[in-house]
Amino acid sequence: QVQLVESGGGLVQAGDSLRLSCAASGRTFVNYAMGWFRRAPGKEREFVAALSWIDIKYYVDSMKGRFTISRDNAKNTVYLQMNSLKPEDTAVYYCAARDYNPTKSWNDYRYWGQGTQVTVSS
């Protein structure tokens, strides 16, 4: 069992940056692939970024260059650095974990955090 707790969301203006954190507890964090997903109002949950246990990273093309996923295994934490935020980035952001390799499909992930709200004003 893995427990995930996100933090770092908030209200920012377009062009600002935020860093989301996801603290994991429970089983050995280093063995898990970690992902970030988001759900905007009225939309389906969508993939944002993922990171394997050997630090291979995956991004949605539209976010590549603005968002960076990273992990600190010593702190059992995964991060999502978001730069040049846009109003369309407004969503609840979720951290997720799964065994084996990361995927871009949310239903492949077994463990989920409660989400953190990111609101970007224009």
Side-chain angles (χ1 to χ4, degrees), residues 5-109:
V5 179
E6 302 96 333
S7 61
L11 172 62
V12 296
Q13 293 186 332
D16 286 350
S17 298
L18 275 177
R19 189 177 77 158
L20 305 183
S21 299
C22 173
S25 60
R27 293 178 60 187
T28 306
F29 172 75
V30 69
N31 295 332
Y32 286 90
M34 303 298 297
W36 284 98
F37 293 79
R38 70 185 186 185
R39 177 178 284 167
K43 295 187 177 181
E44 297 291 319
R45 185 168 6 189
E46 66 172 340
F47 171 76
V48 174
L51 179 63
S52 74
W53 67 278
I54 55 172
D55 220 32
I56 298 174
K57 302 177 183 181
Y58 305 85
Y59 297 97
V60 173
D61 286 344
S62 61
M63 301 174 202
K64 196 177 297 183
R66 293 195 302 126
F67 291 8
T68 303
I69 189 171
S70 62
R71 68 193 296 165
D72 184 337
N73 289 333
K75 295 182 178 180
N76 287 356
T77 301
V78 64
Y79 303 98
L80 183 68
Q81 177 68 43
M82 305 186 295
N83 299 328
S84 302
L85 283 163
K86 305 175 181 179
E88 51 264 42
D89 293 319
T90 295
V92 178
Y93 284 72
Y94 298 92
C95 172
R98 71 183 302 269
D99 295 305
Y100 310 116
N101 296 323
T103 74
K104 298 181 179 182
S105 177
W106 68 266
N107 56 11
D108 289 337
Y109 288 76

